[in-house]
Amino acid sequence: MTQILYSKPIVDSELGELKDAIKTLKNAPKLKVILIGNNPSSKIYVKRKKEFCESIGAICEIIQKNDDFQPLELESLLCNINKDDEINGCLVQLPLPPQFDGFNFQELISPLKDVDGFHKDNIFSIYKKSSGDFLLPCTPLGIIKLLQHYNINVSGKNITIIGRSLIVGKPLSMMLTNLDATVTLCHSRTRDLANFTKAADIIISAVGSPNFLTCDYFKDDKSQVLIDVGISSLKQNKITGDIDFNGVKNQVASITPVPGGVGPMTILSLAKNLVKSAYIQENLKKA
Ligand code: NAD
């Protein structure tokens, strides 16, 4: 039987731990989420983040800005958030309007408050395989947690990641390399993608193209593990992933569903990063 890698049991079991961790802090952790423009999907994601934070006893405030909000205004807003001791975490919801193309807002958030884990100091800590306190990017962190929960060992495994974004593919490739996996990072210019997917023990897809990975991309010996990061919107508020779930599920060992797989793990990781950032900041104040 194919194992369906649902995130719900993981999220449910971590909720209690997060609530308990928050009770040991002097103040409830506080997150600011900056939402620029009117992207309907972004509004839904931000609402889910707020609801999840509140469900564990953290505070989440959404700062909504119009489509014409400018990079310099964002810079000044982030500067004020960095200076505010009562705010533990901050994120800017992606995607941003075109005036932000090439604007490196990630470096303007203090690495200690960078709950998305995008700041170069946090990324460099992965690169160095640092053991110190730093914040890891949420989706890669959630994927690794999901694999660990289902006892899917990555050490020595061949892992093919499809998609080389700064938020998923690239950091995930480093994090899995640190865990002794042999990682191949594929992208839009990769030739013969099926050669790489068929050769892998674990395939992680972060492309954003609905159902583009069909049964032809995988072995049929029920040995492979498929992790679907992709989220594409369909009609009637439905979403789907990169993998043709129904078409491939019977030929693989395990597969994540969409929805109910990687998405909730990302939000869980965000909440964990927020609690971690609050701990780091509280300890720094004591020191
Ligand atoms: P992106 O949208 O920035 O880039 C897509 C990547 O796919 C690129 O690296 C590109 O090279 C690659 N690609 C495009 N066409 C390809 C092809 N034919 N063959 C191989 N590679 C191809 O990436 P992103 O921001 O990581 O988002 C990818 C998807 O993951 C989107 O659907 C996004 O919504 C979703 N996402 C989901 C979560 C979650 O929590 N589940 C988190 C982040 C992103």
Side-chain angles (χ1 to χ4, degrees):
M1 266 268 288
T2 306
Q3 184 181 38
I4 310 298
L5 307 172
Y6 294 106
S7 51
K8 191 171 185 315
I10 311 169
V11 175
D12 288 349
S13 79
E14 296 265 331
L15 266 175
E17 279 175 39
L18 282 169
K19 283 181 191 167
D20 290 345
I22 286 179
K23 282 183 200 144
T24 67
L25 284 162
K26 252 169 82 184
N27 300 306
K30 192 168 178 183
L31 173 67
K32 289 268 186 190
V33 175
I34 300 167
L35 176 60
I36 303 171
N38 286 307
N39 181 313
S41 302
S42 295
K43 284 189 171 175
I44 295 170
Y45 295 142
V46 159
K47 188 167 166 261
R48 289 200 187 129
K49 288 171 186 177
K50 182 174 167 66
E51 282 168 0
F52 192 83
C53 285
E54 289 173 351
S55 77
I56 58 165
I59 300 162
C60 174
E61 285 175 9
I62 298 169
I63 305 175
Q64 169 82 65
K65 297 291 177 187
N66 292 334
D67 253 331
D68 60 357
F69 194 60
Q70 294 301 311
L72 282 178
E73 294 176 289
L74 177 60
E75 184 169 353
S76 136
L77 177 59
L78 293 174
C79 182
N80 288 335
I81 288 174
N82 286 340
K83 282 191 258 178
D84 188 337
D85 275 355
E86 284 179 12
I87 302 170
N88 302 103
C90 174
L91 71 89
V92 179
Q93 182 64 40
L94 297 173
L96 290 172
Q99 66 269 26
F100 289 91
D101 287 355
F103 182 70
N104 209 349
F105 74 88
Q106 290 89 345
E107 311 313 330
L108 300 174
I109 299 175
S110 157
L112 293 173
K113 299 189 181 187
D114 169 40
V115 284
D116 261 339
F118 296 162
H119 190 281
K120 66 178 180 338
D121 290 2
N122 287 319
I123 294 293
F124 191 60
S125 295
I126 306 174
Y127 185 78
K128 279 189 304 182
K129 202 179 174 186
S130 160
S131 53
D133 265 336
F134 60 96
L135 299 167
L136 290 160
C138 297
T139 304
L141 186 60
I143 291 168
I144 288 171
K145 176 88 195 162
L146 184 122
L147 291 168
Q148 285 167 343
H149 173 87
Y150 285 102
N151 293 321
I152 299 168
N153 184 21
V154 298
S155 173
K157 297 281 175 63
N158 293 325
I159 302 186
T160 290
I161 300 174
I162 314 168
R164 56 180 161 184
S165 73
L166 288 174
I167 63 171
V168 185
K170 278 187 188 168
L172 181 59
S173 67
M174 279 193 286
M175 288 161 72
L176 289 169
T177 302
N178 288 344
L179 294 171
D180 300 323
T182 303
V183 181
T184 305
L185 188 54
C186 298
H187 46 78
S188 52
R189 300 293 175 92
T190 298
R191 276 182 278 162
D192 299 324
L193 182 63
N195 284 343
F196 296 100
T197 51
K198 283 189 174 164
D201 302 301
I202 300 171
I203 299 96
I204 303 172
S205 183
V207 173
S209 180
N211 297 323
F212 104 103
L213 291 175
T214 55
C215 55
D216 300 336
Y217 284 87
F218 307 107
K219 292 193 265 194
D220 55 10
D221 61 357
K222 289 183 98 38
S223 65
Q224 295 180 299
V225 174
L226 310 192
I227 306 293
D228 195 345
V229 185
I231 301 178
S232 300
S233 301
L234 302 175
K235 283 180 191 151
Q236 290 164 340
N237 285 339
K238 292 210 162 137
I239 58 164
T240 191
D242 291 345
I243 302 174
D244 172 17
F245 183 90
N246 288 322
V248 306
K249 75 168 190 280
N250 292 326
Q251 74 186 64
V252 298
S254 321
I255 182 168
T256 56
V258 178
V262 175
M265 294 305 297
T266 299
I267 296 182
L268 174 67
S269 303
L270 172 69
K272 290 176 82 157
N273 273 351
L274 177 65
V275 175
K276 186 173 181 182
S277 66
Y279 266 100
I280 297 172
Q281 287 159 49
E282 197 171 289
N283 286 335
L284 280 176
K285 273 185 207 158
K286 279 184 208 153

